[in-house]
Amino acid sequence: MPMSEAFSRRLRPVLRDAVEHFGTPFHLYDEQGISDTCAYFNETFAGLPFREYFAVKALPNPSILEIMRSHGFGFDCSSLPEIDLAGRVGARAHDVFFTSNNTSREELAAAAGRSALINIDDLAVLEKLADLVDGDHPVDTLSLRVNPGEAPSENVFLGSPQDAKFGIPTHRLTEAVIRAGELGVQHLGLHMMVASNVLRVAPIVRTLDILLRHATMIRERTGVTVEFLNLGGGIGIPYRPEDPPFDLAALGRELRTALTGWARAQRTEIPRLCFESGRYITGPHGVLVTRVVNRMSKWREYVGVDASMSSLMRPGLYAGAYHHISAPWVPDGPSRTVDVVGSLCENNDRFGTDRELPELTEGDTLLIHDTGAHGHAMGFTYNGRLRPKELLLRSDGSVQLIRRAEEQERDHFSTLVFPPDGLPARPHPHSHHRRAAGSLHEATLR
Ligand SMILES: *Cc1c(COP(=O)(O)O)cnc(C)c1O
């Protein structure tokens, strides 16, 4: 969507200097906007036992994670590098929720070793945990990721849960709870995320309803009380100008009603409510700043810019993904319908199609909006187009480099520097002197 009035007011005085000083392209994030959204998130659920674990994958930069930390957020991590990044800003033990899937034994051991809150995605992973516990890693708190089989509403972007690779299917949930008890787990939680970028409250309320239903079932069948419920991420932002904003206050009211009602009926305490929101927290507070390299007329009209989809993959990756584009300094005049494209040898390397923009020329600056989540983080280096720098617009109006741009020698070619390694040549398979398989194997090992 067009960036908020507040972000625009803060950006206007510094943008020209930032473009000149740092050069384009870059992602720039608005500290005040992020911080205000963090505070609003906490206010919305105030009075409930609540914690947000910021989804690190959305914007994995320590300077951003510091902001989360200052609001008391934890961190949702899906890999060890993400756990270690959270550790760099002081996250300890249960500040980290480890929601991975297809988890390896090594990853699980490392996460348990760092005392992260482990979210189990499958019974096979639970058995790996059993081996660890035997090996003297007590796990007293555990979360189970639930795959409900039923969709919490139509039109949720992650598709039918029965086709999703995530989570423990509900018909095996009791089995998982019993197994967790055998492993000495004292505090149990449930997790479910089946929606992505939703703009309506209903699918998230439904997620809670489904989890509460299963919490009741678990109590009846096993006597175990579920102590926390993690509703995942998936709260959406209005990327298109006509999209309605997500009504977080309404979500707060509805979740509060459902949780207090359940606790009263069950004669127990209100379970702790957790989110792992990423997009909602940082998405609208970032822009990709880029400049026009070429204005091209082919069968269609093109504006070629100095960023490409290696800096922002969403439009190329998800059909229909939209990012608003504006030209801050080009005077309003007759507009043109253009496609805004990068330089990759991929036809889907385009930030926007059929956009009404003022007549642009080489050197003009463009802003691609809402790049604060799943933007730079999804970057890649195909075609040797390297990832750009990241800047933070501080609340005091200063602008700080928080990640440098990638460089050819230092980064892109760095994995081509290594000590020689390999396996010796093998005898030609059609040679008359071919040996038996067994002796070939021996020869290689020797
Ligand atoms: C991606 C993801 C999130 C964050 O999703 P957003 O849409 O950015 O809120 C949270 N939890 C899990 C398990 C995820 O995979």
Side-chain angles (χ1 to χ4, degrees):
M1 64 174 163
M3 77 177 64
S4 75
E5 183 50 43
F7 185 11
S8 175
R9 194 168 5 90
R10 287 188 287 268
L11 182 60
R12 220 174 294 133
V14 300
L15 184 60
R16 205 179 284 272
D17 287 348
V19 166
E20 259 171 41
H21 181 80
F22 294 101
T24 55
F26 57 80
H27 287 272
L28 178 144
Y29 312 115
D30 176 29
E31 179 181 36
Q32 189 63 51
I34 293 173
S35 189
D36 289 348
T37 300
C38 291
Y40 181 56
F41 214 83
N42 278 339
E43 270 164 42
T44 301
F45 301 102
L48 283 174
F50 165 79
R51 195 171 192 194
E52 152 75 1
Y53 295 81
F54 177 68
V56 169
K57 74 173 186 213
L59 186 43
N61 189 304
S63 300
I64 302 296
L65 302 187
E66 296 272 9
I67 306 173
M68 308 302 155
R69 186 108 180 101
S70 74
H71 287 273
F73 288 6
F75 301 98
D76 169 53
C77 302
S78 59
S79 66
L80 292 181
E82 289 183 356
I83 295 182
D84 289 343
L85 202 65
R88 281 198 185 196
V89 299
R92 294 288 168 262
H94 285 188
D95 292 334
V96 170
F97 217 103
F98 185 56
T99 301
S100 66
N101 67 89
N102 185 30
T103 314
S104 72
R105 202 174 292 278
E106 295 71 28
E107 259 185 313
L108 199 63
R114 289 160 174 78
S115 305
L117 266 167
I118 293 175
N119 194 8
I120 293 285
D121 181 75
D122 195 89
L123 277 125
V125 182
L126 191 55
E127 280 318 307
K128 287 191 165 64
L129 191 70
D131 297 345
L132 281 178
V133 172
D134 289 346
D136 212 29
H137 268 102
V139 172
D140 69 296
T141 306
L142 199 69
S143 171
L144 300 175
R145 182 170 188 170
V146 180
N147 181 323
E150 53 179 313
S153 88
E154 332 76 67
N155 300 328
V156 290
F157 282 179
L158 296 189
S160 162
Q162 291 197 5
D163 295 330
K165 68 167 180 166
F166 306 111
I168 300 168
T170 42
H171 61 85
R172 301 197 67 186
L173 199 52
T174 309
E175 186 187 338
V177 172
I178 291 170
R179 191 73 183 108
E182 288 168 4
L183 302 182
V185 170
Q186 302 287 320
H187 308 285
L188 184 76
L190 297 180
H191 170 282
M192 191 169 121
M193 172 168 174
V194 284
S196 177
N197 196 30
V198 291
L199 291 172
R200 288 175 312 111
V201 166
I204 297 176
V205 177
R206 272 285 283 151
T207 298
L208 180 71
D209 287 344
I210 293 171
L211 286 184
L212 287 175
R213 216 169 68 216
H214 285 97
T216 307
M217 185 271 291
I218 287 168
R219 262 191 132 204
E220 286 167 3
R221 292 198 192 156
T222 68
V224 172
T225 300
V226 172
E227 295 179 30
F228 56 98
L229 299 168
N230 185 333
L231 305 189
I235 300 177
I237 59 168
Y239 284 103
R240 292 173 186 270
E242 67 272 20
D243 284 341
F246 187 91
D247 191 348
L248 198 69
L251 181 70
R253 286 193 298 273
E254 297 209 24
L255 295 186
R256 187 183 311 268
T257 306
L259 283 166
T260 47
W262 184 84
R264 202 176 307 119
Q266 293 289 318
R267 298 210 167 91
T268 183
E269 288 178 20
I270 295 176
R272 278 204 318 286
L273 175 69
C274 313
F275 274 100
E276 306 164 339
S277 227
R279 191 188 315 270
Y280 185 84
I281 306 291
T282 56
H285 308 300
V287 280
L288 174 59
V289 180
T290 182
R291 289 170 96 164
V292 176
V293 177
N294 288 294
R295 175 68 180 83
M296 302 174 284
S297 291
K298 306 177 194 260
W299 298 102
R300 301 170 63 85
E301 296 299 310
Y302 292 93
V303 171
V305 296
D306 63 5
S308 60
M309 71 187 283
S310 51
S311 309
L312 179 67
M313 200 182 183
R314 288 190 70 252
L317 187 61
Y318 306 115
Y322 178 97
H323 285 266
H324 199 66
I325 301 174
S326 63
W329 300 310
V330 183
D332 282 341
S335 70
R336 275 288 204 159
T337 305
V338 296
D339 292 357
V340 178
V341 299
S343 305
L344 240 67
C345 306
E346 286 289 335
N347 199 33
N348 63 346
D349 175 22
R350 49 186 74 221
F351 295 108
T353 28
D354 290 331
R355 296 300 174 86
E356 287 291 312
L357 286 170
E359 192 57 71
L360 294 163
T361 55
E362 187 177 343
D364 284 339
T365 299
L366 289 185
L367 302 183
I368 301 174
H369 298 218
D370 301 315
T371 68
H374 313 293
H376 187 282
M378 281 185 138
F380 55 102
T381 60
Y382 184 55
N383 262 201
R385 299 281 169 192
L386 307 184
R387 280 173 282 239
K389 60 196 77 163
E390 296 183 292
L391 308 180
L392 184 60
L393 170 55
R394 291 285 188 190
S395 301
D396 65 4
S398 63
V399 180
Q400 191 186 347
L401 182 70
I402 58 170
R403 187 194 301 274
R404 65 170 172 80
E406 286 178 336
E407 294 167 19
Q408 180 167 307
E409 287 298 330
R410 187 143 57 132
D411 304 302
H412 196 49
F413 291 170
S414 64
T415 47
L416 301 175
V417 181
F418 47 82
D421 195 8
L423 293 172
R426 288 155 182 256
H428 194 276
H430 300 301
S431 133
H432 292 297
H433 306 291
R434 195 163 75 195
R435 303 184 210 192
S439 59
L440 176 67
H441 182 63
E442 267 172 40
T444 314
L445 288 181
R446 221 182 284 126

